[in-house]
Amino acid sequence: MKKNVQTKPLSQMQLFVTKRSTLEQKIISYFEHTKNVSMVIQYAVAIMIKNALVLSDYSDFLKDLVRELFLTAEPSDVLRKNLPYFKPYFKSGEFDTVVHRLFSNKKAYLKFSEEARLNSKYLHSVIQAPTEISKYNYYLVAVFKATNGKRHTWTLRDINPAVTTEEAGEQTYKLLELLTTLPLFEQGNSWKFAQYVKFDYFKNAKVMHHEAPKEELEEIIDPKAALQQKQPESAQISEEPTEEAKEELTIMVPHGFDPRTLSDAEAWTLVQAHLPEGKKLEELAVVFVERPAEPSAEQEPDFVPPTISDFVQQQSHVQKSEEQPAVGVVEPPKPEPVKERTRKNRPLSGSQQAAQSLINSKGSRQEGTTGKTSKKNKHKGKNGKNRKRKKR
């Protein structure tokens, strides 16, 4: 099988979507061709961040290569800044050797790495995944600001359900903040992950899951050889092509809005409004994400207990009725109705405005069609009436 050759820096999609085994081969190949120590170390830190969030196992990622770089590579600021994150990669004696290679003494290391050592606990804290298989798939949608001021979203799938709890929110925030310390994924002169803005967790229900029977899987020892046996020699292939996943373009739509109701032209208008600069549609996988329903703003009015008046009205000039009570009960004041806050009172985001304009245009076309039909019927009615008059 042909070995993966990587001579250019990895893209955002390659780093965060590629499977572990393929990704390790790509980074090793990239280092062999470029000898870029700084980029390899930053790639390893980025995967550490991913490992702390997802269910898949990326622990000890590129451990042998990272150890070699810290023990033999020329000292640099990148090695010094990220050393605390890789402490579990070394034994105690080895780590002290690395510290003395990169710093004048251990005191200088402790002073320089104070903040990094605090953040290191978020990278290596183990959050146990639920033992029961969830019927939902969880994913993270974070917003970052590039150095040129433009915002962009970053979607990470296969999220561990345990990190989506409110208690683990600080860990996610710290991990995303840590991602801004890595000058990766430049576009022109702009650095994409320059500033963290916000993040949200979402979940999708699993529609169906299917696996081949275990007996059938055991019968196939070499799928590639089996495929070649079924084909003539002229059609046999020597390499299995690998197709890399496309970069995702996440578009938020209002709650209750179904993008499938849009025509091709309307869908293209909506996608085009969110298409990143310099990107083509065929290079992206468009994902529509429905916003969660807004909680009702209507509140139950506070209950005010009835009060008994402090005095009894005496009516000297009007005779009391036998049914009239001697003590008056004052009715509690009626609370003013709380105006329900609707989505119309909230400012719409860019994607919501685009979706809303498409919905409005579809509605107006339907109303126009109804109006023409009624007018046509009215005209037919008049003609029928005139025909009757001519007969007379």
Side-chain angles (χ1 to χ4, degrees), residues 19-55:
K19 292 182 179 180
R20 173 169 181 162
S21 58
T22 305
L23 180 60
E24 287 179 329
Q25 293 176 11
K26 286 182 176 292
I27 296 179
I28 292 174
S29 175
Y30 173 73
F31 176 72
E32 290 175 351
H33 287 83
T34 64
K35 303 301 179 183
N36 193 331
V37 176
S38 298
M39 291 299 292
V40 172
I41 296 300
Q42 291 179 81
Y43 290 152
V45 175
I47 295 303
M48 275 187 172
I49 296 173
K50 177 180 179 179
N51 182 63
L53 295 171
V54 300
L55 288 170

Side-chain angles (χ1 to χ4, degrees), residues 137-157:
N137 292 320
Y138 292 81
Y139 60 99
L140 167 73
V141 178
V143 178
F144 291 88
K145 185 181 292 186
T147 51
N148 60 5
K150 292 184 179 180
R151 293 189 177 192
H152 66 93
T153 58
W154 174 56
T155 304
L156 185 64
R157 300 187 178 276

Side-chain angles (χ1 to χ4, degrees), residues 44-105:
V45 175
I47 295 303
M48 275 187 172
I49 296 173
K50 177 180 179 179
N51 182 63
L53 295 171
V54 300
L55 288 170
S56 303
D57 183 18
Y58 286 85
S59 58
D60 293 337
F61 184 77
L62 289 176
K63 183 175 181 179
D64 294 336
L65 178 58
V66 170
R67 281 168 46 84
E68 179 185 350
L69 296 180
F70 275 105
L71 288 169
T72 61
E74 183 179 354
S76 65
D77 290 339
V78 173
L79 291 175
R80 295 186 185 97
K81 183 176 68 174
N82 297 288
L83 175 59
Y85 308 141
F86 297 98
K87 186 175 181 179
Y89 281 26
F90 302 93
K91 299 178 182 179
S92 59
E94 291 179 335
F95 187 75
D96 292 338
T97 302
V98 176
V99 169
H100 289 298
R101 281 192 74 246
L102 302 179
F103 298 90
S104 57
N105 52 61

Side-chain angles (χ1 to χ4, degrees), residues 78-136:
V78 173
L79 291 175
R80 295 186 185 97
K81 183 176 68 174
N82 297 288
L83 175 59
Y85 308 141
F86 297 98
K87 186 175 181 179
Y89 281 26
F90 302 93
K91 299 178 182 179
S92 59
E94 291 179 335
F95 187 75
D96 292 338
T97 302
V98 176
V99 169
H100 289 298
R101 281 192 74 246
L102 302 179
F103 298 90
S104 57
N105 52 61
K106 193 168 184 177
K107 185 177 180 180
Y109 160 73
L110 295 175
K111 184 178 180 180
F112 181 84
S113 63
E114 182 176 1
E115 184 177 358
R117 286 184 287 112
L118 291 175
N119 292 330
S120 181
K121 66 179 181 180
Y122 298 106
L123 288 171
H124 301 290
S125 60
V126 179
I127 299 181
Q128 289 291 76
T131 54
E132 298 182 358
I133 300 177
S134 174
K135 63 178 181 179
Y136 294 103

Side-chain angles (χ1 to χ4, degrees), residues 188-323:
N189 296 326
S190 178
W191 169 23
K192 291 186 67 175
F193 291 86
Q195 183 180 354
Y196 161 75
V197 179
K198 63 179 180 179
F199 77 87
D200 291 287
Y201 281 118
F202 296 93
K203 62 180 180 180
N204 283 339
K206 293 180 181 178
V207 179
M208 183 181 68
H209 176 73
H210 179 267
E211 292 183 5
K214 187 177 179 182
E215 294 78 8
E216 295 183 8
L217 294 177
E218 291 177 348
E219 291 177 1
I220 303 177
I221 302 175
D222 189 352
K224 186 175 178 180
L227 177 63
Q228 290 180 342
Q229 289 176 1
K230 294 180 181 180
Q231 296 178 341
E233 293 182 1
S234 59
Q236 291 183 5
I237 54 177
S238 60
E239 295 296 333
E240 184 178 353
T242 58
E243 181 180 356
E244 295 183 359
K246 295 183 178 180
E247 182 177 355
E248 288 187 356
L249 172 62
T250 303
I251 300 178
M252 308 296 292
V253 298
H255 178 73
F257 174 70
D258 188 355
R260 292 173 295 182
T261 60
L262 298 174
S263 65
D264 292 343
E266 292 167 336
W268 167 243
T269 302
L270 180 58
V271 172
Q272 195 174 24
H274 296 79
L275 200 63
E277 186 177 356
K279 289 288 185 180
K280 297 180 180 179
L281 181 59
E282 54 268 19
E283 300 174 352
L284 303 171
V286 180
V287 178
F288 289 97
V289 178
E290 182 181 348
R291 294 183 182 275
E294 293 285 346
S296 176
E298 184 176 358
Q299 298 179 352
E300 294 291 336
D302 296 336
F303 174 72
V304 181
T307 59
I308 302 177
S309 59
D310 296 334
F311 62 91
V312 179
Q313 294 182 351
Q314 297 183 358
Q315 302 175 348
S316 57
H317 58 285
V318 180
Q319 186 176 0
K320 293 183 178 180
S321 174
E322 293 180 359
E323 292 80 11

